[in-house]
Structures are given as structure tokens and as C-alpha cells.
Amino acid sequence: MELSEIGALQIAKRVDAILHVPGNYRGGNLEMTIVIDTSLEREDFGEAVAAVVRALKRSNEIFRNVRLNLVYWGQEISSKVTPMAMLMTGGAFREYRRCPQKKRYEELFAYLKKFHARSKVVLVFTDGKHEVSDAQAARDALSPFLKSKLLLISERVVSGTEFLLGRWKQ
């Protein structure tokens, strides 16, 4: 996953737009979630994640003090709280284990809705090659709030709302 500095800045602008959705972020400490698809090689996402975090920190002061949930989306989904600085240095990915397999987006969305509903921004770094086998379950998990907080980042960037409209398919 190649992500230029301009691409990272564009993602930062989209994150800023997410924060300004009415009723989403009202000030105070920000909580956000970054999801790493375990189908990716560490080299494929490590620099992209670092570039996005750097762009976020430069773009807005609220990213200085963030509660960041790092989620690994593999055969099982696991989560831990991680300092943003560790994402920039790559130290957060020491325990990363690649697990290439087909996954279903609706399972990830249901997990995020259940365990990360407090997050104001959810960034999913993925290879974009997964499927939706139950479209209604995906819609239910994305509604009412997750769709407006979510960005899927692969070869292109797709919002949760665009995902609902079927624009995530290549």
C-alpha cells in the first residue's frame, strides 16, 4: 500500500471532516481506532500508518492527546491501547503476525460497533479484497453512527457511507 505525503494529508482532511460531523466530536480527549488487516505485510502498512499519524498530528492540535485503540483484524480480532508515537516509529507492530485469509467486512463492523463505539474516528488499513456475505448485517453494524466515522484505506480511500452505497468494490 503506497501512500504519498499528499495522500496522507488528504486522509487527514477527511478525518477533520469526520470530526466536524454534527454530534460527533465535542472537544476534550479524542478517542480513535486504527484497524490493521492482517492480510497485509508489515512493510505494506507500516509507513502508510506512520504517514497518516504524522499528517494528523501536524493538521490539528487535538491529535496531541489521543486514546488510540489499535485493532488487528485477523482470524480473531484483538485490540490494545497504543500511544500514537509508537505508530510513527513502528514499535506498535512488533507483535504483528500476518494472517492472510478472506475475511468478512460485516464481522469487523459488528466488532467495531460493539467495542469501539466511543471512537470518533475509525481508520481501517486493508488490502480491500475481502467480502460482504450478509449485506444487511453490514448495514446494521454501520448504522447509525459507524458509517460517518469510518474510512477504509487501501489502494483508495472509502468512507463508511460510500461503503454502504457499494462504492468499495473495485
Side-chain angles (χ1 to χ4, degrees):
M1 162 186 318
E2 285 291 318
L3 189 62
S4 67
E5 194 156 332
I6 292 173
L9 288 171
Q10 289 173 335
I11 291 170
K13 285 186 182 211
R14 289 188 74 172
V15 167
D16 192 52
I18 288 170
L19 293 175
H20 286 90
V21 168
N24 189 16
Y25 179 66
R26 296 186 181 102
N29 287 352
L30 176 68
E31 183 167 343
M32 67 182 284
T33 299
I34 291 183
V35 178
I36 305 296
D37 176 359
T38 61
S39 296
L40 296 170
E41 294 282 351
R42 186 179 311 180
E43 300 79 38
D44 291 342
F45 70 82
E47 193 51 45
V49 171
V52 168
V53 169
R54 278 192 299 274
L56 290 172
K57 283 187 162 285
R58 273 186 267 142
S59 70
N60 199 322
E61 196 173 295
I62 63 171
F63 291 101
R64 290 183 189 190
N65 190 14
V66 173
R67 176 183 169 89
L68 179 76
N69 303 296
L70 179 62
V71 175
Y72 289 131
W73 177 32
Q75 192 168 4
E76 294 181 11
I77 301 175
S78 64
S79 176
K80 65 181 178 179
V81 176
T82 305
M84 283 184 96
M86 287 187 69
L87 295 179
M88 292 190 297
T89 63
F93 308 124
R94 278 190 220 119
E95 301 165 17
Y96 178 78
R97 300 286 176 262
R98 186 167 184 260
C99 181
Q101 66 185 49
K102 284 284 188 195
K103 297 182 240 349
R104 295 180 17 223
Y105 283 110
E106 64 268 25
E107 291 173 354
L108 173 65
F109 298 157
Y111 174 86
L112 292 171
K113 183 176 183 176
K114 185 173 183 178
F115 295 106
H116 296 281
R118 289 179 22 186
S119 289
K120 303 303 181 193
V121 177
V122 178
L123 304 178
V124 180
F125 289 83
T126 180
D127 65 5
K129 297 177 182 164
H130 304 296
E131 58 189 34
V132 173
S133 58
D134 185 346
Q136 186 59 47
R139 273 192 296 280
D140 291 347
L142 285 169
S143 297
F145 303 115
L146 186 58
K147 67 183 176 203
S148 62
K149 301 176 182 184
L150 181 80
L151 286 179
L152 293 160
I153 302 165
S154 57
E155 296 303 316
R156 34 189 220 129
V157 180
V158 178
S159 72
T161 303
E162 291 169 325
F163 187 93
L164 276 178
L165 298 173
R167 296 185 188 148
W168 60 279
K169 298 174 185 169
Q170 300 291 344

